[in-house]
Amino acid sequence: MYEMTSPASPGKTPPGAGDTVVHRWAQTPACVGQARRMLRETLGRWELADLADDCVLVLSELLANAVQHADSPDRTVGTCFRRLPGTDGVRIEVLDADGGRLPQVPDPAGGEDVRGRGLLLVGACTGERWGVVLGAAGKSVWGEVAR
């Protein structure tokens, strides 16, 4: 699934509060590991630790793409983890201020290039429940992992 809607305006919630955790990161490779740790801790609190491997892979791919490719003027990116209401799942969002550059899904049958296949992994981990939300302040790329 590749959803494009508008506008996106994520809420501001302190880390660890309720069923949503929002955080801003410096747009550097170091934020990927820090965000993975925060996600694992959050999943443990939500009693969803069994989803951690798939969730962390989704987060890693989406956040690494934003760090590498987004042209965010303030050189920050955001993450938002939401426990899905009424389900045993989580929505992972990565936000950046670059609405002009959209993720590109490679041809799964094409070539032997080992790079650029992250969105195929995201699709596999989420059962193709992922997409992009465009807004005035940039974009959110999201994926949902559930039991």
Side-chain angles (χ1 to χ4, degrees), residues 4-147:
M4 297 182 68
T5 59
S6 182
S9 57
K12 301 275 185 200
T13 306
D19 289 341
T20 302
V21 176
V22 176
H23 195 77
R24 295 295 298 172
W25 307 93
Q27 191 176 342
T28 66
C31 79
V32 179
Q34 296 165 345
R36 283 193 299 245
R37 282 188 293 282
M38 179 181 281
L39 177 57
R40 283 188 184 278
E41 291 169 6
T42 300
L43 292 171
R45 282 193 306 276
W46 290 344
E47 298 181 359
L48 295 172
D50 58 309
L51 299 178
D53 290 342
D54 284 344
C55 287
V56 166
L57 180 58
V58 169
L59 173 65
S60 296
E61 294 299 334
L62 298 182
L63 190 52
N65 283 348
V67 166
Q68 182 176 1
H69 300 293
D71 186 15
S72 297
D74 65 356
R75 303 302 299 158
T76 65
V77 292
T79 55
C80 179
F81 313 138
R82 285 191 177 101
R83 186 170 187 166
L84 298 173
T87 69
D88 289 327
V90 62
R91 181 178 176 120
I92 300 150
E93 298 179 55
V94 174
L95 305 99
D96 66 64
D98 187 355
R101 186 175 298 176
L102 297 177
Q104 300 296 312
V105 181
D107 178 0
E112 295 183 27
D113 191 2
V114 295
R115 296 186 49 88
R117 307 239 178 238
L119 292 176
L120 295 174
L121 292 172
V122 169
C125 289
T126 64
E128 298 302 327
R129 292 182 317 270
W130 73 276
V132 178
V133 178
L134 296 176
K139 69 178 172 295
S140 167
V141 184
W142 60 272
E144 293 180 349
V145 177
R147 290 186 177 130

